[in-house]
Amino acid sequence: MSSFSHTTLAFLIGLSALLGACSAQADPGDSNPPSADDMFDAYLEEDRALASNLRAITPDATLEILRQRTERDQRVRMLMLDLLETPGAGPNEATLTWLRLIRHMNGIDRDNATWLKARLVDIDWFTRSDYGEQADNDAFLIVQHATHDPEFMRDVHARFARLTVTGEVAPDNYALLTDRLAVMDGAPQPYGSQFECADGEQRLQTPLADPEPVVDQRRAEVGLPPLAHYIELLPDCSTLPGGG
């Protein structure tokens, strides 16, 4: 597996686990699956409509803006999963399309992070008691994908450390952000949530911070399933036809 597809698959594992399963797989009996370019072009039309809807929302409709920004965040990542599940559309076979897609996704992530940072000047967070569980989770996804701005991620992580104690943020999201930052630092993972596809197998991106029983206890405290069960929810790397 090339380093390009290795990195891309690692990026997608967390999303797949959160969704509980991959999107609908391409029909293995289809002898003429859509091309990566066709899929990407169709997605761009959809995303342009989403962006247009977003621009039409009044600036004070904060929760609706947050919801639609998260919808764009998730839609581009679902396309990546669709491409991985389509024969001939993986990053090795359609490299130029994937480079275009990743550049587009990075633009969405940067724009979302800039918007959220401006909102967090005035509020501590989209807390559950004031804004609801959906807003808490939507804002978390924007932060989790703001890897271009580690300091922003660390600032939010520090806020989470305080707010998790009072139940104002989802504890499992705090765990996922903790591990994401650990992986970015090349450090062991306290919760063992960040995996990658390597040589057709699921592997932790960095080692566990503690023995598995200790990690499982920590996971239980934030509502995550045991590590062995979590791994079962991850996609089988060897069966992704577009995985390279």
Side-chain angles (χ1 to χ4, degrees):
M1 180 179 288
S2 73
S3 60
F4 182 87
S5 61
H6 182 288
T7 301
T8 303
L9 287 169
F11 171 78
L12 290 167
I13 294 308
L15 173 61
S16 299
L18 286 171
L19 294 174
C22 291
S23 59
Q25 292 189 358
D27 183 356
D30 186 353
S31 60
N32 189 29
S35 71
D37 280 344
D38 288 343
M39 294 172 69
F40 181 55
D41 288 343
Y43 156 76
L44 280 181
E45 287 191 22
E46 180 183 347
D47 186 64
R48 290 189 188 104
L50 290 173
S52 177
N53 291 340
L54 186 60
R55 289 192 295 271
I57 302 173
T58 58
D60 59 338
T62 304
L63 292 184
E64 180 62 17
I65 293 172
L66 175 60
R67 185 189 68 79
Q68 294 212 20
R69 284 183 174 278
T70 307
E71 183 177 350
R72 290 189 76 201
D73 169 294
Q74 293 295 280
R75 182 64 192 91
V76 68
R77 286 165 169 84
M78 288 308 302
L79 173 63
M80 298 179 88
L81 290 174
D82 289 342
L83 289 170
L84 284 174
E85 294 169 347
T86 301
N92 287 339
E93 300 90 352
T95 301
L96 291 179
T97 302
W98 277 78
L99 289 173
R100 291 172 64 203
L101 175 57
I102 290 174
R103 183 168 62 246
H104 185 78
M105 180 184 68
N106 287 343
I108 291 174
D109 291 346
R110 289 174 180 274
D111 185 58
N112 282 347
T114 297
W115 177 85
L116 183 58
K117 285 176 71 173
R119 304 288 80 71
L120 296 184
V121 170
D122 299 320
I123 63 173
D124 204 15
W125 182 249
F126 286 92
T127 54
R128 289 179 148 198
S129 62
D130 289 333
Y131 299 94
E133 294 183 9
Q134 186 64 51
D136 170 37
N137 193 64
D138 286 349
F140 158 75
L141 288 173
I142 291 177
V143 174
Q144 188 80 336
H145 298 150
T147 53
H148 62 281
D149 193 346
E151 291 311 308
F152 173 51
M153 297 177 73
R154 294 184 201 286
D155 173 66
V156 172
H157 186 258
R159 300 180 190 216
F160 276 19
R162 291 184 283 103
L163 294 169
T164 301
V165 176
T166 57
E168 290 289 6
V169 301
D172 55 336
N173 287 344
Y174 171 68
L176 294 173
L177 182 56
T178 298
D179 279 354
R180 177 64 62 89
L181 287 169
V183 168
M184 291 172 66
D185 291 339
Q189 301 181 50
Y191 297 92
S193 66
Q194 306 296 298
F195 280 75
E196 62 187 358
C197 279
D199 300 323
E201 297 179 353
Q202 293 286 0
R203 297 178 185 174
L204 283 161
Q205 289 186 262
T206 58
L208 296 177
D210 296 288
E212 187 169 331
V214 177
V215 171
D216 275 346
Q217 177 60 40
R218 190 178 292 131
R219 291 173 64 88
E221 291 171 355
V222 297
L224 290 173
L227 193 59
H229 178 56
Y230 184 80
I231 293 172
E232 291 176 356
L233 298 175
L234 300 177
D236 182 352
C237 300
S238 65
T239 66
L240 294 175

